[in-house]
Amino acid sequence: MKIIELKETITASNDLDAEVLRGEMKAKKTLLINLMASPGAGKTTLLEKIISNLSPKYKIGVLEADVDSDVDAIRVSMAGAKAIQVHTGGMCHMDAGMTRCGLEALEYDELDLVFLENVGNLICPAEFDTGAGKKIMILSTPEGDDKPLKYPLMFRESDCLVISKMDVKDYFDFDLDKCINRAKALNPNIVIFPLSAKTGDGFSEFIKWLTEQIEEWIR
Amino acid sequence: MKIIELKETITASNDLDAEVLRGEMKAKKTLLINLMASPGAGKTTLLEKIISNLSPKYKIGVLEADVDSDVDAIRVSMAGAKAIQVHTGGMCHMDAGMTRCGLEALEYDELDLVFLENVGNLICPAEFDTGAGKKIMILSTPEGDDKPLKYPLMFRESDCLVISKMDVKDYFDFDLDKCINRAKALNPNIVIFPLSAKTGDGFSEFIKWLTEQIEEWIR
């Protein structure tokens, strides 16, 4: 597995860098999605399912951002995506410059869809525009329905909230309505998909929305 | 609920500040424990159980550090601890100066034991010495047994690893031996307690160890 060692990009203009990158990717018809969640919320599992669903139709790449290891990049590349592992040099997030380095190493020109699987963290990744066209966050039911109260920026910044591990929601006393109301109070436009990657429930609605986003970006 | 709004302490000498704070707390016979974990790993639930177990014997305080909300401070204060909510001003971690501000607001002089419930995050809190006498991390089984590979610093820095939500480990294919071996490879001295706050299994062994740490600190 190819591993890229990154250092934080020293730039005062991350927002500008991100806009430039987003424009370039729009021109090349590649949709970059910034996928964010806590450690263990199910980012890689969701990606594996997306890849096996969409890879016949779209060419998919994945930038796996982690402080260490390459276990996730191996998993998504076995699922059928072009994958690269980026190490963040201890950093808790990816910024636009780091994302550009990863994309160049991935040679993304021929790809329709690239996922940036961000570092597992509900705080810092929300603060940095990576240049992605869409931002998806995952909250897993074992984490609790109070998370919008405690990590509001992530919910405000995301276009889409996937509520994962719905098959165990009752075991963890996760109140779906409360969680949805809390997320919508922070971000009325957020699109929410409760699903279980294990049972497949709710997955097709999410894939339908994702396909619409890709089609809109690449047309 | 009293809420303290913090800003990041601007100091080049966090390690020194932390050493000074640790010395002061040793002199005052108050053990400060830095409790770290991902969002939703069960920090507050574990604290509630610890407080109801130990509060007859020890005076306990809690600094609840969050980016926003005061739900956790309310929970632990209902469990019987003197609690204060600190807001980190968007910061993803607590440092020694921020901890000192919180401790002063808590008026900790009469307390035997203070928990700093750090921001939910497996990366940044591991990088900052808060002045705590002991560091405890929690990993919950839904997060997966691969987390030591991806967040090694947290496992290296902690004195104790609580593996929580053991009652659902089989559902999430969590391999306990693999997880323990990975944690011990990073930190041979780490003390590990697999437990379930829901069923109570494994909890008494953890409380025994915790009581020993308190007795050693305050004697």
Side-chain angles (χ1 to χ4, degrees):
Chain A
M1 180 52 58
K2 190 171 174 186
I3 300 179
I4 309 296
E5 306 286 343
L6 299 177
K7 288 180 185 147
E8 189 178 19
T9 322
I10 305 301
T11 168
S13 58
N14 183 63
D15 286 353
L16 180 63
D17 294 349
E19 279 304 329
V20 171
L21 181 57
R22 196 161 23 246
E24 289 176 19
M25 299 206 69
K26 181 76 185 164
K28 288 184 178 165
K29 296 179 184 294
T30 304
L31 174 58
L32 175 66
I33 292 181
N34 183 2
L35 182 62
M36 298 175 284
S38 294
K43 291 185 293 300
T44 315
T45 303
L46 186 71
L47 278 183
E48 287 172 326
K49 285 212 62 139
I50 293 170
I51 293 160
S52 65
N53 248 271
L54 293 183
S55 65
K57 193 170 176 190
Y58 302 109
K59 287 181 213 141
I60 306 177
V62 180
L63 290 181
E64 285 290 347
D66 276 303
V67 175
D68 210 339
S69 98
D70 62 353
V71 288
D72 288 349
I74 292 169
R75 280 176 62 188
V76 297
S77 98
M78 283 174 69
K82 188 173 180 185
I84 202 160
Q85 180 76 47
V86 299
H87 283 172
T88 60
M91 293 296 301
C92 50
H93 64 271
M94 291 283 287
D95 66 16
M98 294 159 84
T99 303
R100 179 184 286 281
C101 286
L103 284 169
E104 285 170 0
L106 189 66
E107 297 166 1
Y108 73 94
D109 298 52
E110 299 302 309
L111 301 173
D112 304 305
L113 180 62
V114 176
F115 285 95
L116 165 60
E117 185 179 333
N118 217 312
V119 183
N121 184 327
L122 279 189
I123 304 170
C124 322
E127 296 168 12
F128 292 84
D129 190 345
T130 58
K134 291 285 167 190
K135 288 180 260 190
I136 299 177
M137 72 166 292
I138 306 176
L139 177 70
S140 64
T141 61
E143 293 174 74
D145 52 46
D146 62 345
K147 291 302 161 291
L149 304 175
K150 298 167 78 175
Y151 305 96
L153 187 64
M154 182 63 78
F155 290 82
R156 277 198 201 103
E157 286 289 323
S158 297
D159 300 295
C160 170
L161 163 63
V162 170
I163 302 179
S164 68
K165 305 186 189 178
M166 280 295 289
D167 48 312
V168 292
K169 106 180 154 53
D170 292 339
Y171 191 85
F172 290 104
D173 304 322
F174 183 93
D175 188 323
L176 182 61
D177 289 339
K178 262 191 195 162
C179 184
I180 289 175
N181 290 338
R182 286 166 175 165
K184 289 267 183 194
L186 293 164
N187 180 353
N189 297 321
I190 198 165
V191 183
I192 302 178
F193 297 101
L195 58 81
S196 164
K198 198 157 187 165
T199 66
D201 286 347
F203 192 73
S204 59
E205 291 85 348
F206 169 66
I207 283 290
K208 181 172 175 288
W209 174 85
L210 184 59
T211 305
E212 288 165 4
Q213 308 312 307
I214 303 166
E215 288 300 322
E216 197 176 308
W217 189 267
I218 68 179
R219 76 175 166 209
Chain B
M1 179 54 58
K2 190 171 172 187
I3 299 180
I4 309 296
E5 306 286 343
L6 298 177
K7 288 180 182 146
E8 189 179 17
T9 321
I10 305 300
T11 167
S13 57
N14 183 63
D15 286 353
L16 180 63
D17 295 349
E19 278 305 329
V20 171
L21 180 58
R22 196 160 23 244
E24 288 175 20
M25 300 209 68
K26 180 77 184 166
K28 288 183 178 165
K29 296 181 185 294
T30 305
L31 175 57
L32 174 66
I33 291 181
N34 183 2
L35 182 62
M36 299 174 284
S38 294
K43 292 185 291 301
T44 315
T45 303
L46 186 72
L47 278 183
E48 287 172 325
K49 286 213 61 141
I50 293 170
I51 293 160
S52 66
N53 248 270
L54 293 183
S55 64
K57 195 171 175 189
Y58 302 108
K59 288 181 210 138
I60 305 177
V62 180
L63 290 182
E64 286 290 346
D66 275 304
V67 175
D68 210 339
S69 97
D70 62 354
V71 288
D72 288 348
I74 293 169
R75 281 177 63 188
V76 297
S77 97
M78 284 174 69
K82 187 173 180 185
I84 202 160
Q85 181 76 46
V86 299
H87 283 171
T88 60
M91 293 297 301
C92 50
H93 64 271
M94 292 282 286
D95 66 17
M98 296 161 84
T99 302
R100 180 185 285 280
C101 286
L103 284 169
E104 284 169 2
L106 189 67
E107 297 165 1
Y108 72 94
D109 299 51
E110 299 302 309
L111 301 173
D112 304 306
L113 179 62
V114 176
F115 285 95
L116 165 60
E117 186 179 332
N118 217 313
V119 183
N121 184 328
L122 279 190
I123 304 170
C124 322
E127 296 168 12
F128 292 85
D129 190 346
T130 59
K134 291 285 167 190
K135 288 181 261 190
I136 299 177
M137 72 166 290
I138 306 176
L139 177 71
S140 63
T141 61
E143 292 174 74
D145 53 45
D146 61 346
K147 291 302 162 290
L149 304 176
K150 296 167 78 175
Y151 306 95
L153 187 65
M154 182 63 79
F155 291 82
R156 275 197 202 103
E157 285 290 323
S158 298
D159 300 296
C160 170
L161 163 63
V162 169
I163 302 178
S164 68
K165 306 188 189 177
M166 279 295 289
D167 48 313
V168 292
K169 106 179 155 54
D170 292 339
Y171 191 85
F172 290 104
D173 305 321
F174 184 92
D175 188 323
L176 181 62
D177 289 338
K178 260 190 197 163
C179 184
I180 289 175
N181 290 338
R182 285 165 175 165
K184 289 269 183 191
L186 292 164
N187 180 353
N189 297 321
I190 198 165
V191 183
I192 302 177
F193 297 101
L195 57 81
S196 163
K198 198 158 188 166
T199 66
D201 286 345
F203 193 71
S204 60
E205 292 84 348
F206 169 66
I207 283 290
K208 182 170 174 287
W209 174 84
L210 184 57
T211 305
E212 288 165 4
Q213 309 311 307
I214 303 166
E215 289 299 324
E216 197 176 308
W217 190 266
I218 68 179
R219 75 174 167 212

